[in-house]
Amino acid sequence: MSEVTKDKTSQLLKKRGSISSVSSPDIKMKEIYGRTKDSVSTVSYADEPSHREDAPRPAVQMENTYQLGPSKCFPVNVVNHILKDVLTNYLQEEKYEPELCRQMTKTIAEVVKARVKDLMIPRYKLVVIIYIGPLENQSLHIGSRCLWDEASDTFSSFVFRNTSLFALATVYAVYLE
Amino acid sequence: MEEYQPHHDEIGFNADEAHNIVKECIDAILGGVDYNQNNVNQWTAAIVEQSLTHLVKLGKTYKYIVTCAVMQKSGSGLHTASSCFWDTTSDGTCTIRWENQTMNCIVNVFAIAIIL
């Protein structure tokens, strides 16, 4: 019996160990959002190895709301304005540099997401995509297709250019049915 | 009207499956061709449409967003980042990078669950 409990505790300790080894922004986020029991905010980057601790959490069953559509429409124009604002403020004076732009894309993505979240449009999920690249004699095509409900879901995008770089920001808003 | 029962055995988005599906689509459309300004529009449209069709055939209750960027190889770089506000237990994303001698292709798939 004691061996079994020892194994369990060592397993638990191992799991906690893997969470604490995650880079510091994750821990900060968990502290800030720790008060709300159900929601955990995590930040993960594709160029850092991912820790899939979230996967074992069971999906939450939700009750019917009997709502057929969104009570408040997604304000495309306001979001367009936000994108224009953020991109211009962050990139107006910048020259293209690989390291700077790598950080910039991540920062701008987070900032745009935070500002659109602040609009507090209920029941909408957001996907924000940022592309930054140098203005040289290369050709680039970006296209997207979405399978969703035309009546409630929408997107908003903005292209920014200065003398040495271009930036494209797109926000997709998907209604939670 | 028939009742649609959601899959209870698989929780969350299966990124590997999506990766394979989209990679096959890209190989079929861009495999063996060189970058051509006139055709790029068709290629990006075909890639996103075919990927979407194949993803839908999986029969899962998801809304999909597929984006595709095709770039000529010219020594310049491209940075992309995405930030998503959703339910991490049910929704997911997958990015597929593909390249050949003359071009790079990046496809992003975002899947957002529909709760029935």
Side-chain angles (χ1 to χ4, degrees):
Chain A
M1 255 313 226
S2 59
E3 277 175 5
V4 172
T5 48
K6 257 194 211 169
D7 281 338
K8 272 195 182 168
T9 46
S10 64
Q11 270 178 12
L12 283 170
L13 286 172
K14 265 189 218 161
K15 272 196 188 160
R16 291 224 186 87
S18 74
I19 294 174
S20 63
S21 71
V22 160
S23 58
S24 50
D26 284 4
I27 296 181
K28 264 198 216 156
M29 285 282 188
K30 283 193 177 162
E31 280 173 17
I32 296 169
Y33 294 99
R35 281 185 219 119
T36 53
K37 255 195 283 181
D38 302 323
S39 70
V40 171
S41 175
T42 55
V43 178
S44 64
Y45 301 115
D47 51 354
E48 288 162 33
S50 64
H51 300 263
R52 305 226 36 177
E53 321 113 8
D54 294 343
R57 255 202 307 163
V60 177
Q61 284 292 342
M62 297 212 227
E63 268 193 23
N64 254 326
T65 59
Y66 299 99
Q67 240 180 351
L68 291 174
S71 52
K72 195 168 155 193
C73 266
F74 194 75
V76 180
N77 295 327
V78 178
V79 177
N80 266 334
H81 203 71
I82 290 178
L83 292 178
K84 185 168 165 198
D85 232 5
V86 174
L87 286 180
T88 328
N89 287 339
Y90 276 81
L91 298 173
Q92 187 67 56
E93 304 297 327
E94 305 293 341
K95 251 189 105 236
Y96 179 79
E97 270 151 49
E99 266 317 306
L100 170 72
C101 289
R102 177 177 305 171
Q103 278 311 116
M104 245 342 158
T105 37
K106 296 185 207 169
T107 318
I108 295 181
E110 292 297 322
V111 168
V112 170
K113 185 179 74 171
R115 283 190 61 173
V116 179
K117 265 172 82 173
D118 284 340
L119 296 175
M120 303 280 274
I121 319 287
R123 292 179 77 90
Y124 267 93
K125 293 184 178 179
L126 306 170
V127 177
V128 177
I129 308 179
I130 312 287
Y131 292 88
I132 299 186
L135 269 184
E136 282 170 23
N137 289 328
Q138 91 276 31
S139 176
L140 167 67
H141 269 260
I142 301 178
S144 81
R145 246 325 169 264
C146 310
L147 178 73
W148 58 27
D149 182 354
E150 262 294 295
S152 51
D153 306 326
T154 182
F155 77 97
S156 166
S157 74
F158 184 75
V159 179
F160 169 82
R161 257 171 279 223
N162 75 9
T163 44
S164 65
L165 55 76
F166 73 90
L168 166 68
T170 314
V171 178
Y172 296 94
V174 180
Y175 181 68
L176 170 65
E177 304 188 22
Chain B
M1 204 159 70
E2 54 182 18
E3 277 280 358
Y4 194 89
Q5 293 301 328
H7 293 237
H8 286 291
D9 41 348
E10 197 180 299
I11 295 180
F13 176 59
N14 190 341
D16 296 320
E17 208 177 8
H19 196 284
N20 293 333
I21 290 174
V22 175
K23 189 146 190 310
E24 274 176 30
C25 289
I26 307 179
D27 284 332
I29 295 170
L30 295 182
V33 290
D34 285 337
Y35 185 85
N36 187 339
Q37 172 81 7
N38 304 327
N39 296 345
V40 189
N41 242 341
Q42 279 175 297
W43 289 337
T44 41
I47 291 173
V48 279
E49 274 178 37
Q50 277 194 25
S51 307
L52 207 45
T53 326
H54 283 104
L55 285 167
V56 166
K57 281 193 188 152
L58 292 174
K60 305 225 177 114
T61 52
Y62 279 109
K63 292 184 178 180
Y64 294 102
I65 296 172
V66 180
T67 68
C68 168
V70 174
M71 194 167 90
Q72 189 180 21
K73 272 194 174 174
S74 67
S76 52
L78 174 70
H79 294 271
T80 95
S82 70
S83 174
C84 307
F85 176 56
W86 58 26
D87 182 353
T88 45
T89 50
S90 57
D91 308 327
T93 174
C94 170
T95 308
I96 299 95
R97 275 156 288 236
W98 185 96
E99 65 183 294
N100 72 5
Q101 300 261 337
T102 48
M103 55 185 166
N104 281 312
C105 175
I106 302 176
V107 177
N108 281 316
V109 177
F110 299 93
I112 295 157
I114 301 175
I115 304 182
L116 297 169

